[in-house]
Amino acid sequence: RDCSRLAHGRDSSLTSLFVMLALLAATPALQLNGRAAPAVAPAAAPQTRRQLIQTAAAAAAAAAAGGVAPALAGGDTFNRMSGVLEPFTDVQKGFKLYKPVAWNQFEADPGVYDMKWVDLIEPFETVQVSTSPVSTATSISALGELDEVGAKFAKSRDAQLVSSKSRDADGSLAYTFELKGDAYHEYLLLTINRGKLYRLSTVASNKRWSKREEMYKNVVLSFVPKGF
């Protein structure tokens, strides 16, 4: 009976976490219209949790051995793009990343974001970090396999899941998804560390995605859920 209660409590906690993610997704940073988005594309063969953990461990070991930049499972490595990005650390919120230089910065809209940067000319283009407390999950893998989580999140956003990747973010497993809605394109990173769910969203219109894709990729690659 005690085991049953523990299992039920864990399931309830994970369900609550998915509900919270769905609520966040229901009001995306960019919502130009209510037109239906393309159907979710078929995902690649899903990785097992063991494979994800092995990938993360290998990336961490490589970084320790050779001092390489953060990398996605696909082999992408971070670069500052000749000064287009600059380092930002929020010790209180517990995260660091490289942010776009000279973008407007907005701090803490409770329940919406912890930090947001907006392009001076194209306010539709944003980089946004939000956090939410989690009680039992210690890794984003608690939500499920990489492609499974990506498909569920894309569906909640009425978006197409373009790609799913994972990486080690200084000891924390991070899921990264590329989503394409009817009017917007987005890189979305999810990770859990020290009782917090971190959500990094980088968004542009479909029309301007090609101009922002490389910069956004490097912002996502730079993210670490530690403020030190």
Side-chain angles (χ1 to χ4, degrees), residues 97-158:
L97 49 65
Y98 274 74
K99 68 179 183 68
V101 172
W103 281 27
N104 285 328
Q105 178 172 301
F106 300 89
E107 300 184 10
D109 183 355
V112 181
Y113 61 81
D114 294 293
M115 192 68 65
K116 180 170 73 171
W117 294 274
V118 180
D119 182 75
L120 295 173
I121 307 301
E122 299 286 344
F124 189 65
E125 296 171 9
T126 63
V127 172
Q128 181 172 301
V129 178
S130 60
T131 61
S132 303
V134 292
S135 57
T136 59
T138 58
S139 170
I140 199 67
S141 63
L143 292 180
E145 306 293 349
L146 175 68
D147 291 321
E148 172 192 355
V149 175
K152 289 180 179 178
F153 209 90
K155 183 177 180 180
S156 72
R157 295 285 296 268
D158 290 326

Side-chain angles (χ1 to χ4, degrees), residues 1-14 135-136:
R1 182 177 299 178
D2 290 339
C3 291
S4 177
R5 288 177 179 175
L6 287 173
H8 176 73
R10 179 179 179 276
D11 291 344
S12 297
S13 177
L14 292 180
S135 57
T136 59

